[in-house]
Amino acid sequence: MRARATDVVIESSGKVITKEVWSTLHIHIASENNFPTAAGLASSAAGFACLVYSLAQLMNVKEKYEGELTAIARLGSGSACRSLYGGFVKWNMGQEADGKDSIATQLAEQSHWEDLVIIIAVVSSRQKETSSTSGMQESVKTSPLLKYRAEEMVPKRIGQMEKAIKSMDFAEFARITCADSNQFHATCLDTSPPIFYLNDSSRRLIGLVERWNRHAGEPQVAYTFDAGPNAVMFAKNKEVAVQLLKRLLYQFPPSAEADLSRYVLGDQSVLKSAGVTSLEDIDSLSAPAEFAGVINLPRIPGEIDYLICTSAGKGASVLDGQIASLLDPATGLLVKNE
């Protein structure tokens, strides 16, 4: 990033920081996530995308070719290349030996599929035993299924997924999303020694979605799990998201001492539309029709840490106002929270 810096004029003083000076300056970096770190929710992708974007803004970096910043972010965390852009983003594998053409491209803006609602079930905030990087390295060395997946399945599914996103075909989107997530975790089990990212709660979340989709006769919700036990679920519209939230609250109720405002985070309109304003409202929820006949379905209060209701994001951006900053512009030191 220093090598790509250009001259910057400080508005308040008129002082010019030249490209040569950037190579001599020290930089204070503060990074903070508002979701679990190293738990399979792309915290490293978010962190490195923001780091590269922030340095680019600070140093007035000019890309030598379109997507160069995504290639740099990828050096820190592969998925970070996609996190620089908003909406729906594709990571291109590339062919060049130096990796310069392994960049991200935006398929559609965040406003493209506005009906889509995302609910994340944070099963565990604990750091996973096997990191994404080391896990993938072991799979590459020992899993025959991964070789087949990379050569045969992934290229085919990427093309199918692009079409599904552009046409907003939720049924196809859901089919590919769930199948690819399941195959990824199959490669983890095919690794020697096997890698276990999912836990019993993860499997119960999969069962909840699969039962509902089968009962409805068509996909209502899609699920995907990265390298961790936490579920990212896609509802095809707001009405379905409300029903999904009710099902999650019924099967995975918060503990008796939980604060509802801290159990369901993000877009509160989904919770409001569900008519849930207290823990007592959750106790009065009735079992969905597809639960009939299910034997020994546990309802363990506190099994899920919390839920996040959200949608497709806008990518990396500069936050407005000093209040949003982690560093004090006057001193460069960490802002002290009262």
Side-chain angles (χ1 to χ4, degrees), residues 120 193 325:
I120 301 169
S325 177

Side-chain angles (χ1 to χ4, degrees), residues 63 66-70 80-90 103-106 313-316:
E63 289 187 322
E66 187 175 1
E68 184 181 24
L69 288 181
T70 71
C81 66
R82 292 179 298 209
S83 297
L84 275 168
Y85 301 141
F88 299 84
V89 186
K90 174 185 176 181
I103 61 174
T105 53
Q106 187 184 60
K314 63 179 180 179

Side-chain angles (χ1 to χ4, degrees), residues 16-28:
V16 178
I17 302 178
T18 65
K19 178 178 180 177
E20 292 71 27
V21 172
W22 280 119
S23 64
T24 68
L25 296 179
H26 297 284
I27 296 174
H28 187 178

